[in-house]
Amino acid sequence: MSAPNNNQRHTIAVLVDNEPGVLARVVGLFSGRGYNIESLTVAETKPEAGVSRITIVTSGTIQIIEQIKNQLRRLVPVHTVSDLTIEGPHVERELALVKVSGTAGRVESLRIADIFRARVVDSTNESFVFEIVGRPDKLEAFIKLMKPLGLVDVARTGVVAIARGPQAL
Amino acid sequence: MAYEEMTGAKILVQALIDQGITDVFGYPGGAILPVYDELFQQNQIRHVLVRQEGGAVHGAEGYARSTGKVGVVIVTSGPGSTNAVTGLADALMDSIPIVCFCGQVPTHLIGNDAFQECDTTGITRPCTKHNYLVKSTKDLARTIHEAFYVARSGRPGPVLIDLPKDVSLGLGPYIPPADVVHKTYQPRVEGDRALIEQAVAMMAEAKRPIFYCGGGVINSGPRASELLTQFVNMTGFPVTLTLMGLGAVPASHPQFLGMLGMHGTYEANLAMHGSDLIIAIGSRFDDRVTGRLNAFAPNAKKIHIDIDPSSINKNVLVDIGIVGDVTRVLEAMIEVWKARGYKADAAAIADWRRQIEEWKGRNCLAYRHSDEIIKPQHAIKRLYELTKHREDVFITTEVGQHQMWAAQFYGFEKPNHWMTSGGLGTMGYGLPAAMGVQLAHPDALVIDIAGEASIMMNIQEMSTINQYRLPVKVFILNNEYMGMVRQWQELLHGGRYSQSYMSSLPDFVKLADAFGAVGLRAEKPSELDDVIKEMISIDRTVIADIRVDKAENCFPMIPSGAAHNEMLLGPQDKAEQPISEEGMVLV
């Protein structure tokens, strides 16, 4: 057997006990073993059971991705590890807040925001803050277009993802 | 159901008793004093007071590996816990079950840079299997029982519990082990039936198969070694063992090829290289075993049985990976082998074994004997010859040349009788480990095969050994060099022996005396047997200072970056085969 060397992007959902240090464990695993993290989000999703959901976007060869999942499964507070990229269709979303400053590009930025279905969530005479939701590539396209129009600040949530269809993790 | 309320310290002691713990290794200090106060007031648990916390963890490792039980360590906060770190990392690499309790400053002081405070759970997170900071006494009993469960289940490992002083002084319910439910950590023990069927079918087809087995067989319990030996007998396949696996198959078994890897035998490494099927059981394709990965066993299909899914396909891609406990998987494989009426390809296996016998004929462990100077290999060989009649010999080692010679020249017939630091390679492991082994087996012959450099790293534990009257034998192969460092400098760095020579070593005979032990010395081959016999016959701690050839190197050797079939067999090989640039950067 030989592994193809090309890197693949995978979105992995991990259900964990919401206890102190659990995020450090996951992050430490990635840094300690030299794996990539492209994005990582975490929040409690089942408060009654004390369970949080971590969504990790990572990249690596098939062998590395397998290692990442097996290493995650070894952690004691981890309930399930699900590789959304290979387990069927799924939805990925990210939210960004994008600040555009200055007066020159105001009208144009509003027009583009409209095309991207971004909302204005704050406005002054010389600035807007847009809220935009979508796949990361959509956010990137929007941010790129805002650059010449006075882009000064961006905050992004990182990717959250969920499988399509009736099944739960 | 109402549980009895007690202090955290008392909960800890009660939990240890209910976990069947009879011995703990530790060192007191401010933050852990409530626990020591509780230990003082009971007599079911014996506490062994070490001289440095690192010694406590290695002691617990030796204890655990020789008994199959969980080793327990109790240390204080700050330096107590940081001193324990090396031992924890060692236990993690070699999959040794340990539960380590660390005192911590009271919860309201955590994060304040209080006296003897450190972020113990932060520091130990990557060098433990799991760790806990207990913030409330009500969680303590559950946490302790879970810690023991995690330490011994699946792939065993060290688990640490950080215990703030107010938690050990406060009151909480004592929950017995039976009432603790483990929510998440449920390692798989039964192998996948379909994969087992495929694997066994593959074995029946094999022409040049080899079993390559490791510490996982030992960790699975003595039954695993019995089953492995049975399967080896049934199939007629040759078997090689890793450093951590020695004893899983008797060294005297005719199909046993010796250890493989960097200092493994010629026949074991060439058999791996030439095989068409490798059955890896409880071994992890470590870099010391595989040599250069792209030249590793190029024509072999691989079956890998391991309880840790992350070990499978980590370094070497395998054809069949079976996740499960070695004992259970071997039971199933043997059952399938019998039920399906499989037979090994007798003619092919006979050819294969003839080929292996030919490799064996190279006599790769040969060394030039001398009547003037003690060869280190000869010293181990004599030690083995003069002790092999005994059933109860336990060998520990430090790390370096002496460790490899011990692995090459001491024959282990049974599992759990060989304790060495394999993964982390911790100099200073052997003496405290021997202390732990002797404590668990008071009447056994426990020998730490040591080098004079390694022994100095935890020499303070001689004092502990003296205090508990443990008749440990320390067998030092004294060449006044860090031998393995010197060997690499000779082979890789043009003979520039940078900082590998030790002047001003202690007089080990006088040192033994100072620690209440008996010191012996052998300087000539003619003195060796008498010193070994005397060492064994003395019913006290002995340090035997064996002055060996300072220039001897450990062969065979696969230089770093080389493949199994590119071994150096002796000093005459080194000039012909310089080490590649890629090899230079490897450790």
Side-chain angles (χ1 to χ4, degrees):
Chain A
M1 273 174 78
S2 67
N5 268 332
N6 45 335
N7 279 359
Q8 300 177 344
R9 177 183 180 276
H10 282 242
T11 305
I12 297 169
V14 189
L15 293 186
V16 298
D17 283 330
N18 182 18
E19 59 180 34
V22 68
L23 187 59
R25 257 176 239 290
V26 171
V27 173
L29 170 68
F30 276 72
S31 62
R33 294 186 183 266
Y35 305 141
N36 296 316
I37 299 181
E38 291 184 7
S39 139
L40 186 145
T41 64
V42 56
E44 194 168 54
T45 52
K46 292 182 195 163
E48 68 292 348
V51 169
S52 290
R53 185 179 178 118
I54 300 177
T55 308
I56 304 165
V57 180
T58 183
S59 63
T61 61
I62 294 173
Q63 200 179 348
I64 294 282
I65 300 287
E66 276 307 308
Q67 265 295 302
I68 290 172
K69 289 185 281 185
N70 283 331
Q71 293 287 355
L72 284 168
R73 287 189 184 107
R74 287 216 300 180
L75 299 178
V76 171
V78 167
H79 292 247
T80 55
V81 176
S82 175
D83 186 345
L84 297 170
T85 302
I86 60 169
E87 286 171 15
H90 66 281
V91 184
E92 276 185 26
R93 287 293 178 269
E94 187 176 359
L95 183 146
L97 298 172
V98 178
K99 186 178 283 185
V100 178
S101 224
T103 49
R106 281 175 74 76
V107 180
E108 181 64 5
S109 66
L110 275 177
R111 205 182 340 248
I112 292 168
D114 192 39
I115 295 166
F116 277 80
R117 275 179 268 169
R119 297 197 302 136
V120 177
V121 290
D122 178 68
S123 172
T124 67
N125 284 336
E126 64 230 275
S127 71
F128 289 121
V129 174
F130 296 107
E131 173 199 279
I132 178 166
V133 176
R135 288 180 55 92
D137 50 356
K138 174 182 167 181
L139 269 53
E140 272 145 33
F142 180 72
I143 291 163
K144 194 174 160 198
L145 288 172
M146 287 297 128
K147 255 190 196 145
L149 304 175
L151 178 85
V152 289
D153 214 355
V154 178
R156 293 173 68 160
T157 57
V159 173
V160 291
I162 204 160
R164 290 186 187 273
Q167 299 298 331
L169 246 190
Chain B
M1 181 178 158
Y3 295 111
E4 193 189 338
E5 290 267 319
M6 48 180 96
T7 64
K10 190 151 193 180
I11 288 173
L12 190 157
V13 170
Q14 188 58 48
L16 293 181
I17 292 168
D18 287 353
Q19 288 289 341
I21 301 303
T22 52
D23 301 280
V24 302
F25 299 82
Y27 203 104
I32 197 74
L33 278 178
V35 172
Y36 275 83
D37 198 37
E38 206 54 56
L39 283 170
F40 187 82
Q41 300 175 51
Q42 56 83 45
N43 52 19
Q44 281 170 279
I45 293 169
R46 174 169 54 167
H47 177 276
V48 177
L49 175 66
V50 298
R51 296 302 180 259
Q52 204 255 24
E53 290 85 350
V57 189
H58 295 319
E61 284 186 275
Y63 185 93
R65 196 154 179 86
S66 65
T67 59
K69 296 195 225 167
V70 178
V72 178
V73 177
I74 302 177
V75 298
T76 195
S77 62
S81 65
T82 55
N83 278 342
V85 163
T86 301
L88 294 171
D90 191 271
L92 183 68
M93 284 287 252
D94 286 345
S95 311
I96 312 293
I98 300 285
V99 172
C100 176
F101 296 91
C102 288
Q104 181 56 282
V105 300
T107 45
H108 69 274
L109 283 180
I110 289 178
N112 269 1
D113 299 329
F115 177 64
Q116 290 196 329
E117 185 193 354
C118 71
D119 176 8
T120 300
T121 47
I123 290 169
T124 59
R125 200 172 286 125
C127 61
T128 52
K129 182 173 174 185
H130 194 54
N131 64 13
Y132 303 87
L133 170 59
V134 182
K135 286 193 172 152
S136 162
T137 313
K138 72 176 171 30
D139 299 327
L140 183 60
R142 184 194 58 75
T143 305
I144 296 173
H145 294 312
E146 188 176 285
F148 276 92
Y149 165 76
V150 170
R152 66 172 167 252
S153 308
R155 179 176 179 176
V159 178
L160 178 138
I161 296 177
D162 206 17
L163 192 59
K165 197 168 184 180
D166 54 331
V167 173
S168 52
L169 286 170
L171 285 172
Y174 179 71
I175 303 165
D179 292 2
V180 177
V181 186
H182 307 294
K183 289 182 295 183
T184 56
Y185 185 69
Q186 305 283 354
R188 176 177 186 143
V189 291
E190 296 292 343
D192 181 292
R193 195 71 192 187
L195 291 175
I196 287 173
E197 292 270 357
Q198 280 178 42
V200 176
M202 206 182 254
M203 286 173 65
E205 296 281 302
K207 311 282 183 217
R208 299 186 310 281
I210 183 166
F211 284 104
Y212 145 56
C213 309
V217 180
I218 313 284
N219 275 335
S220 182
R223 173 102 181 108
S225 296
E226 286 168 28
L227 288 165
L228 174 62
T229 309
Q230 188 188 338
F231 208 21
V232 165
N233 290 337
M234 285 166 67
T235 55
F237 294 177
V239 54
T240 180
L241 296 171
T242 68
L243 180 69
M244 295 305 292
L246 294 178
V249 169
S252 58
H253 197 287
Q255 284 150 253
F256 179 53
L257 309 184
M259 181 175 76
L260 82 165
M262 185 172 272
H263 294 288
T265 64
Y266 185 68
E267 52 272 24
N269 285 332
L270 283 197
M272 286 292 281
H273 191 81
S275 67
D276 71 345
L277 177 68
I278 291 172
I279 307 123
I281 306 179
S283 46
R284 59 187 179 91
F285 295 93
D286 157 86
D287 57 272
R288 279 294 182 276
V289 155
T290 60
R292 182 152 48 88
L293 270 178
N294 61 8
F296 172 72
N299 303 312
K301 286 201 163 28
K302 293 157 197 103
I303 297 166
H304 189 184
I305 299 157
D306 204 294
I307 198 151
D308 176 6
S310 74
S311 278
I312 294 172
N313 290 327
K314 183 171 67 182
N315 301 330
V316 170
L317 288 178
V318 299
D319 300 270
I320 298 180
I322 300 171
V323 177
D325 179 62
V326 167
T327 304
R328 307 288 265 276
V329 176
L330 276 173
E331 272 169 358
M333 289 178 90
I334 290 171
E335 188 197 307
V336 170
W337 182 270
K338 284 183 184 159
R340 298 258 180 272
Y342 283 127
K343 295 268 180 297
D345 184 337
I349 302 299
D351 277 349
W352 176 227
R353 290 197 26 203
R354 248 193 309 278
Q355 166 70 72
I356 289 170
E357 283 306 313
E358 213 171 282
W359 290 326
K360 255 188 194 162
R362 282 295 296 265
N363 197 12
C364 67
L365 296 179
Y367 54 91
R368 196 164 299 150
H369 184 69
S370 160
D371 290 329
E372 307 297 314
I373 189 159
I374 302 172
K375 291 286 180 177
Q377 300 95 323
H378 179 67
I380 307 269
K381 221 172 175 175
R382 291 312 301 158
L383 181 70
Y384 174 54
E385 292 297 332
L386 294 169
T387 55
K388 69 176 182 186
H389 61 283
R390 290 183 61 152
E391 289 275 301
D392 60 343
V393 184
F394 292 82
I395 303 288
T396 73
T397 74
E398 312 289 334
V399 169
Q401 283 182 326
H402 68 273
Q403 177 191 29
M404 292 298 111
W405 283 317
Q408 291 173 339
F409 290 93
Y410 203 99
F412 296 94
E413 297 292 309
K414 285 181 292 189
N416 303 98
H417 287 245
W418 161 248
M419 269 55 59
T420 194
S421 171
L424 197 67
T426 310
M427 291 171 72
Y429 166 89
L431 184 63
M435 167 183 93
V437 174
Q438 189 81 73
L439 204 83
H441 309 272
D443 301 320
L445 174 58
V446 182
I447 305 170
D448 171 27
I449 297 178
E452 83 295 333
S454 281
I455 195 71
M456 294 299 287
M457 285 217 181
N458 271 322
I459 194 72
Q460 78 285 347
E461 297 310 325
M462 280 299 293
S463 176
T464 313
I465 286 169
N466 184 23
Q467 180 173 342
Y468 295 90
R469 300 271 175 265
L470 301 173
V472 166
K473 317 299 182 208
V474 184
F475 191 74
I476 302 176
L477 300 183
N478 185 349
N479 62 2
E480 297 180 11
Y481 276 102
M482 289 157 225
M484 194 59 93
V485 171
R486 205 221 53 194
Q487 176 167 345
W488 279 53
Q489 287 172 335
E490 182 180 321
L491 296 174
L492 280 100
H493 295 279
R496 293 179 294 281
Y497 300 126
S498 178
Q499 304 297 322
S500 55
Y501 179 76
M502 277 196 182
S503 59
S504 304
L505 280 163
D507 179 330
F508 285 106
V509 174
K510 284 187 185 157
L511 189 73
D513 192 45
F515 280 119
V518 177
L520 304 173
R521 178 170 292 134
E523 287 172 307
K524 292 196 205 75
S526 56
E527 298 164 353
L528 183 63
D529 276 23
D530 287 344
V531 164
I532 293 173
K533 283 182 200 156
E534 196 182 347
M535 174 182 91
I536 298 165
S537 68
I538 295 173
D539 191 24
R540 291 169 58 194
T541 316
V542 178
I543 296 181
D545 181 20
I546 312 296
R547 297 304 184 95
V548 298
D549 187 346
K550 295 190 201 332
E552 193 68 22
N553 284 336
C554 183
F555 291 107
M557 179 179 183
I558 302 177
S560 43
H564 276 170
N565 58 344
E566 299 165 354
M567 301 188 82
L568 311 183
L569 285 178
Q572 71 284 356
D573 282 357
K574 72 185 179 212
E576 300 155 26
Q577 304 192 7
I579 283 160
S580 66
E581 262 179 56
E582 296 81 51
M584 282 288 281
V585 302
L586 300 174
V587 287

